[in-house]
Amino acid sequence: MLPLVKTYIAPREEMMPAIEKILYSGYIATGEAVEQFEREFGAFIANDKVVALNSGTAALHIALALLDVGPGDEVISTAMTAEPTNTAILNAGGKVVWADVDVRTGLLDSKSVRSKITERTKAIMLVHYAGMVCDMDAFNQISQEFHIPIIEDTAHALGSRYRGQPVGSNSRFTCYSFQAIKHMTTVDGGAISFQKEADLEEAKRLRWFGLDKKVSRLENDIKRAGYKYAMNNVNATIGSVQLRHMAEVVGRHIDNGKYYDRALRDIPGVTLIPYYENTEPSYWLYTLKVKDREDFCKMMEENGIQASQLHHRSDLHSVFAESRCDLPALDCFYEEFVHIPCGWWIGEEERERIVELIKRGW
């Protein structure tokens, strides 16, 4: 079965000596290896203001904490995402306010977001779902007009671009996940990049209980309680080795995605997803809309290819009952969207076979 997602691990001859060296170095907690990974990852995303963490969820939580999101505050978000995007808002003490999606793309709709803004709105949470980038031209305008910061959840979007630059510098906060099945994994981990130096320094304290690691523990004075969110040297070492291959790995996703963009045009029952102006997806998953999706997925599975929605829409979880509202565009999009394999493990022969199967119908 050709899977939708598959973990990439760098070659054994590179990875294992690096892991062995750090394991027996005498220092496996947060140290120089983490700082090195931060520098290398910062170079990859063209933003040197990076803090490495133990998960993408920790990155979201720290962004919300830096904005002092708490009881009475609202964060506008999307239900078209994995659950941690929005459970992080609840864990920070805020209320999720659902905005609808653009029915063409499944990404958060700027007009719907604009209509949901109140005096209690503390942030806008954007999700570059499946590697497709939101309409950042429109959202930047909203952020500037209403003075509301944007948190970009880029768990799916490593290597995606906006105005020719990697996602990671456009908004005040950009959050990454290095969980097992993402473009890049550190086994588990995450990172957050910033525009402001002050946010960077405060995040470094928040990830380690509120302690300032530049000062002796005996001389520290915690002014704000933090968390145990730091990445360790072992995960960072894995990340540094993985990064050597990420241009090629992400490039394979993109090459396959662009092939599908060309090859799946004008097929009966298939609607392709348009990409917003000034954006370039990194195709963590390839997303399309199909008629009779259940039959489509069954046909693909019978031919040894996994196809599914992958994620359950978040607004249907009981924990978000307080936020429930009508989302007609999401209802429509959710009925038809599906993902097909697009990643680094899909070669020319596999992708051509996938296209031919879809062309035959279901």
Side-chain angles (χ1 to χ4, degrees):
M1 180 76 69
L2 273 179
L4 270 179
V5 292
K6 187 173 180 178
T7 302
Y8 175 84
I9 299 293
R12 177 185 297 270
E13 59 270 21
E14 294 181 47
M15 184 64 75
M16 298 313 294
I19 292 175
E20 184 175 352
K21 181 179 179 181
I22 198 68
L23 280 176
Y24 294 98
S25 68
Y27 203 103
I28 60 174
T30 304
E32 171 55 32
V34 172
E35 294 174 4
Q36 177 180 331
F37 174 70
E38 288 171 339
R39 291 191 296 270
E40 292 168 348
F41 186 71
F44 189 81
I45 64 169
N47 182 355
D48 62 1
K49 297 182 182 65
V50 171
V51 170
L53 302 161
N54 61 11
S55 70
T57 306
L60 295 168
H61 192 191
I62 282 184
L64 293 161
L66 288 170
L67 294 174
D68 294 317
V69 170
D73 294 327
E74 297 176 349
V75 178
I76 300 174
S77 187
T78 177
M80 186 66 194
T81 184
E83 290 80 3
T85 303
N86 295 304
T87 56
I89 297 169
L90 297 187
N91 286 330
K95 178 184 176 182
V96 176
V97 174
W98 303 122
D100 212 344
V101 302
D102 181 337
V103 72
R104 302 170 303 157
T105 66
L107 301 179
L108 204 58
D109 179 63
S110 61
K111 296 184 182 66
S112 180
V113 168
R114 185 178 284 270
S115 74
K116 298 297 180 88
I117 293 172
T118 71
E119 69 278 2
R120 295 182 298 279
T121 303
K122 206 68 175 282
I124 298 168
M125 183 79 79
L126 298 182
V127 177
H128 300 316
Y129 185 83
M132 300 180 290
V133 180
C134 294
D135 185 0
M136 296 311 303
D137 287 349
F139 282 111
N140 286 341
Q141 183 176 343
I142 290 172
S143 179
Q144 293 163 10
E145 181 179 341
F146 291 93
H147 305 289
I148 298 173
I150 287 173
I151 302 169
E152 294 185 42
D153 181 341
T154 56
H156 296 181
L158 184 65
S160 296
R161 291 177 175 267
Y162 171 59
R163 292 189 174 272
Q165 296 299 312
V167 294
S169 302
N170 173 75
S171 299
R172 184 171 170 184
F173 308 102
T174 307
C175 300
Y176 298 87
S177 171
F178 307 133
Q179 185 263 348
I181 59 174
K182 300 304 191 295
H183 283 102
M184 183 182 83
T185 184
T186 59
V187 177
D188 209 348
I192 182 167
S193 61
F194 305 92
Q195 289 181 323
K196 299 181 178 182
E197 190 72 29
D199 286 334
L200 171 74
E201 294 304 321
E202 182 66 7
K204 287 181 178 179
R205 289 187 287 270
L206 285 177
R207 73 173 171 182
W208 194 246
F209 309 116
L211 292 165
D212 184 348
K213 288 184 77 71
K214 296 194 298 292
V215 179
S216 161
R217 198 150 188 162
L218 297 176
E219 298 173 358
N220 250 287
D221 176 26
I222 294 177
K223 297 181 175 64
R224 179 179 182 180
Y227 317 98
K228 193 176 187 297
Y229 282 169
M231 180 178 279
N232 63 58
N233 281 354
V234 180
N235 292 119
T237 297
I238 293 170
S240 288
V241 178
Q242 294 281 74
L243 273 172
R244 300 173 195 168
H245 301 272
M246 277 308 106
E248 179 184 357
V249 169
V250 174
R252 292 273 295 280
H253 282 257
I254 293 172
D255 186 64
N256 286 334
K258 288 183 175 180
Y259 171 80
Y260 289 143
D261 285 341
R262 298 187 301 269
L264 294 175
R265 290 176 185 165
D266 304 319
I267 297 176
V270 172
T271 301
L272 298 186
I273 305 293
Y275 310 122
Y276 295 110
E277 189 174 359
N278 298 317
T279 73
E280 301 170 50
S282 61
Y283 302 95
W284 179 58
L285 300 165
Y286 190 83
T287 311
L288 63 159
K289 295 194 285 185
V290 297
K291 299 295 184 184
D292 304 313
R293 181 177 62 199
E294 186 175 339
D295 291 339
F296 176 89
C297 292
K298 183 179 179 182
M299 178 275 292
M300 296 290 277
E301 185 173 351
E302 288 173 349
N303 285 277
I305 298 161
Q306 189 176 22
S308 80
Q309 305 98 288
L310 194 65
H311 288 112
H312 180 61
R313 54 186 282 182
S314 292
D315 60 319
L316 301 184
H317 289 293
S318 298
V319 73
F320 299 116
E322 181 187 7
S323 300
R324 198 155 290 166
C325 64
D326 290 334
L327 300 169
L330 178 58
D331 293 340
C332 183
F333 183 83
Y334 200 82
E335 285 297 312
E336 294 190 336
F337 91 99
V338 70
H339 303 302
I340 59 175
C342 183
W344 58 270
W345 60 98
I346 303 298
E348 291 186 8
E349 183 177 335
E350 289 86 359
R351 72 189 191 184
E352 288 169 7
R353 179 167 170 265
I354 289 170
V355 169
E356 288 307 310
L357 284 170
I358 295 173
K359 284 182 175 179
R360 286 184 210 166
W362 52 94

